[in-house]
Amino acid sequence: MRGFFLCHFMTASSLFMVSSGGCLNVELLIYGLWPPAMLQAIPLAGPGFDIGIDEANQELSDILRIKRTYISGPEVVGCEDTGAYFDQISRHYYGYTEQQNDSLLILVYLGCGDSTIFGQLAREWNILAISGGASYPDQRDMVLYPTALATGPFQFELYSTMFEKVCEAFNWSRVGLAYDTSGAIPFPTEIYDAFSSSGSVRSGKLQLQRFPIPPEANHKTILQKISQAARDARFNNHSSAVILVALEAFGSLIQMITCFDHDPEAHRLLKGRIRRKASEMYGYRYAPDREPSEFATSSYLITKMLASVVNDSFQRGLDISNGRLLAHQFLNTTYTAGPIGRLFIDSFGERQSKICLSPFNHSRGRFTRALYCDHTETTLQRVPNTVIVWNTPGNRPPRDTPLCGFLGEGESCRKSSITPVIIVMAILILIFTSFLCYLRQRFSQQGLLRNCWWRLETPEIKHKPG
Ligand SMILES: *[C@@H]1O[C@H](CO)[C@@H](O)[C@H](O)[C@H]1NC(C)=O
Ligand SMILES: *[C@@H]1O[C@H](CO)[C@@H](O)[C@H](O)[C@H]1NC(C)=O
Ligand SMILES: *[C@@H]1O[C@H](CO)[C@@H](O)[C@H](O)[C@H]1NC(C)=O
Ligand SMILES: *[C@@H]1O[C@H](CO)[C@@H](O)[C@H](O)[C@H]1NC(C)=O
Ligand SMILES: *[C@@H]1O[C@H](CO)[C@@H](O)[C@H](O)[C@H]1NC(C)=O
Ligand SMILES: *[C@@H]1O[C@H](CO)[C@@H](O)[C@H](O)[C@H]1NC(C)=O
């Protein structure tokens, strides 16, 4: 640790905020939930910052020194509380600027959704603000929130694009969205909103029909109903029961999911470090079958990107105390963290990840990637050497309209006596396991486990029939 902080003198143009040691002090003010019931809570996502800070301070030991301060307390328990205690940020901010103003302050918010207050405060103070929790499109506005970035691992924006591209690729124009209404998962509405915000739906090129599933519904009946009305059903109920029913009912089961490109070994090592830090510094012990989530990895990634951008801007003599200018350095930029993957921030300041379309592989017992969409390509990309098994004649994607029409009135069927083959396929929208878990508030560890059952990577899943 000793060697880290021996910064030396910087160039004259970048003397701003350089402390007596010749080092640029950077202070992350991190505001968020403390109880570890949600995945972006400080004890769970925080270790990612610590590891990122340690590495950045080592790599840039002669240039900058990053510290972090948590703003949280026992009263900040759930999502609604993060909105109610923004005065704590103000108090910290004014306290800091009064006493010690030799640090570059950066606000970090580990909340639920992008609170616009957060973006507004940062704009008034003209300091960089990073929202590392769940990202909603509210803050995709660099005019209203010119210093704010949203770097959380999940966004809805790409789902809308992906949905459009998939329908286009398979010539589908009638799509049903079946979703759970038990209230346990507030997510379906957001997905519906994302889908219906796509240009094709708004222009009427794509018809999107909603199929709300009552909590006590019989899924078989619903699947039948859907198959009569649409070619392509999307489900949001993530219970294994539904997957089993869907596997039985549909020829093909495909998942649309945010996917990350980590080198498995490097990712495993990082998660091990996060796990240890969580226990040593935050008193949080992961259960043996639980793992640090993408929120923790994301904290690590954004800290590394931050250090890199600050170093670069600082060395180029940019006025980094100007939050607007500093935030601008992140736009349209990709940061590569070697084997841990990449982080891309779009021109609205929102992180954009890859979305994958992954068919269920029966022999492997899990979903494997076949197609993906990301910011680098305008078209849907195919993963080499993969096939989608549609279980249709000629293994073609299901037709937009059944051969015999939806009511069996089709021309070809009247001529032939052969019973029409009903071809149905389902796309399961299984957003990354942690995202689901994040959405569940204040539920017990047991509940959390139950709702995260499809950590399909873990061996446990493969052996459990239900
Ligand atoms: C630091 O605070 C002092 C006193 O409040 C003020 O005069 C000075 O301009 C501040 N410096 C910076 C860089 O904000
Ligand atoms: C979609 O339709 C176009 C034109 O009708 C056709 O060329 C293409 O092969 C179709 N694609 C699929 C996947 O069926
Ligand atoms: C999903 O489907 C299962 C099985 O029908 C049902 O028990 C459950 O309540 C549904 N909702 C959720 C959120 O899992
Ligand atoms: C810091 O920024 C300078 C200037 O852009 C660059 O040459 C140097 O490689 C950077 N250092 C690190 C460790 O990235
Ligand atoms: C980001 O890239 C897009 C497309 O390349 C471009 O239209 C936009 O102006 C860029 N925005 C910024 C802030 O660089
Ligand atoms: C499913 O996985 C097995 C084993 O990895 C592989 O051989 C097979 O090609 C996969 N099937 C498809 C359709 O990708």
Side-chain angles (χ1 to χ4, degrees), residues 41-323:
I42 289 169
L44 303 184
F49 291 112
D50 295 318
I51 294 167
I53 289 172
D54 284 352
E55 285 187 12
N57 282 343
Q58 209 158 3
E59 286 158 13
L60 294 160
S61 60
D62 51 353
I63 296 153
L64 49 81
R65 176 171 52 195
I66 311 179
K67 285 199 303 187
R68 56 120 178 102
T69 302
Y70 288 126
I71 309 175
S72 188
E75 66 279 15
V76 190
V77 175
C79 280
E80 58 280 21
D81 304 319
T82 49
Y85 293 97
F86 270 107
D87 57 314
Q88 296 196 356
I89 298 185
S90 309
R91 203 164 337 124
H92 261 86
Y93 174 78
Y94 290 115
Y96 263 94
T97 45
E98 258 169 38
Q99 297 161 17
Q100 55 168 105
N101 57 5
D102 67 336
S103 286
L104 171 68
L105 274 191
I106 293 169
L107 273 186
V108 182
Y109 174 50
L110 292 176
C112 324
D114 289 335
S115 169
T116 51
I117 299 172
F118 175 72
Q120 284 160 4
L121 285 178
R123 177 187 62 206
E124 294 314 312
W125 298 331
N126 197 16
I127 63 177
L128 179 65
I130 294 172
S131 170
S135 293
Y136 290 93
D138 309 11
Q139 266 191 129
R140 287 179 62 82
D141 190 334
M142 290 311 280
V143 176
L144 277 175
Y145 313 108
T147 67
L149 307 174
T151 63
F154 309 99
Q155 318 76 21
F156 295 108
E157 194 58 26
L158 263 183
Y159 278 87
S160 152
T161 314
M162 182 72 172
F163 169 63
E164 211 166 30
K165 287 190 200 297
V166 167
C167 293
E168 196 183 323
F170 298 132
N171 290 342
W172 292 333
S173 62
R174 277 173 262 228
V175 179
L177 176 73
Y179 58 95
D180 176 66
T181 56
S182 66
I185 303 169
F187 183 60
T189 340
E190 277 86 357
I191 268 289
Y192 180 79
D193 290 346
F195 283 4
S196 43
S197 74
S198 76
S200 308
V201 174
R202 278 180 302 164
S203 71
K205 205 173 124 202
L206 257 174
Q207 288 171 31
L208 183 64
Q209 203 175 342
R210 298 171 91 140
F211 290 92
I213 303 176
E216 67 292 343
N218 175 335
H219 285 97
K220 273 193 178 155
T221 321
I222 287 162
L223 295 180
Q224 266 164 15
K225 234 193 234 169
I226 293 161
S227 69
Q228 284 159 13
R231 299 284 74 208
D232 160 19
R234 289 149 200 273
F235 294 91
N236 277 321
N237 185 323
H238 308 239
S239 77
S240 48
V242 169
I243 291 212
L244 291 180
V245 171
L247 275 174
E248 203 182 303
F250 295 114
S252 189
L253 202 56
I254 303 178
Q255 179 192 57
M256 198 192 284
I257 194 168
T258 304
C259 46
F260 300 92
D261 293 318
H262 310 295
D263 169 69
E265 181 56 17
H267 195 219
R268 195 184 60 76
L269 290 174
L270 177 64
K271 285 195 287 190
R273 289 168 71 190
I274 292 171
R275 198 186 270 272
R276 279 195 299 280
K277 273 260 193 275
S279 143
E280 286 163 13
M281 298 180 65
Y282 300 81
Y284 179 80
R285 288 184 182 280
Y286 281 90
D289 56 349
R290 288 201 60 212
E291 292 196 326
S293 76
E294 280 302 328
F295 282 101
T297 318
S298 188
S299 309
Y300 166 82
L301 268 173
I302 190 59
T303 308
K304 294 300 295 283
M305 181 176 192
L306 182 71
S308 161
V309 171
V310 167
N311 164 53
D312 187 62
S313 310
F314 188 53
Q315 305 256 20
R316 285 191 288 121
L318 208 81
D319 178 9
I320 52 173
S321 68
N322 182 340

